[in-house]
């Protein structure tokens, strides 16, 4: 299902047929370095990931991480979308592109459209993002789409301190 379209890109739901692309993306050196090793060693692992992560979220919430493809030739280049995860009160934006499609403005185009979709279509008043402290490309992109650094946080069952960015309504006072 197509979710949104920008000048150069289409964002649509992932399906089990995107297995080879997802296998490549989750083993891309930049994914492994900045997001982590998801142990996707076979095409079956990649298929299971699609079904149990993004597809499950579409069914449960109506949104999730979307496949991002070039309009020109329908070539898949990355994923971008919205995630609701344990440990974060608000919905967060996530993105990852194959190395060869980075630094071309595609990530900005997809992420900007996703922010608009989140507020205009889903009516979300606050959107957050988490990123590793050393992921400068991600931090720059988050700032370019209007997000501001708020504080450092740690997710459940993880030791790494991450940067929390926010957009929209102020976070509730603790
Ligand atoms: C994080 C990530 C999505 C950022 O994407 P990106 O490819 O760097 O983003 P963009 O292409 O939109 O912009 C990057 C640069 O390209 C430049 N650029 C080149 N051509 C451009 C064009 N035609 N239009 C706009 N910008 C262009 C931008 O100016 C920008 O420069 P800067 O980073 O020096 O400020 C990408 O690095 C990635 O997939 N990393 C691995 C996964 C990951 O870390 N995900 C985030 C987890 S929190």
């Amino acid at each position: 299902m197509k979710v949104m379209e920008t000048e150069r890109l289409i964002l649509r739901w992932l399906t089990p047929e995107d297995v080879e692309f997802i296998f490549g993306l989750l083993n891309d050196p930049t994914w492994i370095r900045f997001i982590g090793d998801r142990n996707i060693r076979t095409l079956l692992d990649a298929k299971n990931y699609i079904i149990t992560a993004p597809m499950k979220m579409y069914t449960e919430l109506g949104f999730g991480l979307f496949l991002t493809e070039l309009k020109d030739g329908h070539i898949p280049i990355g994923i971008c979308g919205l995630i609701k995860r344990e440990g974060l009160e608000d919905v967060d934006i996530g993105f990852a592109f194959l190395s060869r499609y980075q630094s071309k403005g595609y990530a900005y185009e997809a992420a900007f459209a996703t922010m608009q979709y989140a507020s205009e279509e889903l009516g979300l008043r606050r959107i957050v993002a988490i990123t590793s402290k050393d992921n400068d490309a991600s931090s720059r992109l988050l700032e370019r789409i209007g997000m501001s650094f708020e504080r450092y946080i740690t997710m459940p069952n993880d030791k790494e301190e991450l940067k929390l960015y926010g957009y929209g309504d102020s976070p509730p006072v603790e």
Side-chain angles (χ1 to χ4, degrees), residues 60-100:
E60 289 176 358
L61 301 171
F63 59 78
L65 282 169
F66 306 122
L67 180 127
T68 304
E69 64 183 20
L70 297 180
K71 273 186 186 169
D72 189 5
H74 292 279
I75 296 162
I77 62 168
I79 56 177
C80 180
L82 299 160
I83 308 154
K84 177 69 196 81
R85 57 180 112 214
E86 193 198 333
L88 278 186
E89 195 136 314
D90 300 292
V91 170
D92 66 286
I93 185 169
F95 33 65
F97 287 74
L98 292 173
S99 289
R100 64 181 174 281

Side-chain angles (χ1 to χ4, degrees), residues 8 25 28-35 79 85 93-99 101-109 129-132 135-142 144:
R8 297 179 293 172
L25 182 67
D28 187 287
T30 61
W31 176 295
I32 302 273
R33 173 168 174 207
F34 291 114
I35 299 180
I79 56 177
R85 57 180 112 214
I93 185 169
F95 33 65
F97 287 74
L98 292 173
S99 289
Y101 295 106
Q102 292 176 16
S103 299
K104 295 182 189 315
Y106 293 132
Y108 172 77
E109 205 170 305
I130 45 172
T131 188
S132 298
N135 195 344
D136 296 333
S138 175
S139 291
R140 277 200 301 276
L141 178 57
L142 291 169
R144 222 175 306 130

